[in-house]
Amino acid sequence: MEPADPPGTDPTERAPREQQMSRRSNAPSVSPWLVIGAILLLGAAIYVASALF
């Protein structure tokens, strides 16, 4: 495992593994709106199911 790059290191001198990690961390893996929408959809499905039975 490569050591972490010291602060102030030029981007061209950084380890390739750290460049890949920083590229992936720019956006969240799951949107907060997707989570909220899924919770609301689940709530609506439970509401409909409880009305039918």
Side-chain angles (χ1 to χ4, degrees), residues 18-36:
E18 290 190 15
Q19 288 178 353
Q20 292 172 356
M21 289 173 63
S22 67
R23 185 181 67 228
R24 282 185 276 153
S25 64
N26 288 339
S29 58
V30 178
S31 168
W33 290 111
L34 183 63
V35 173
I36 292 170

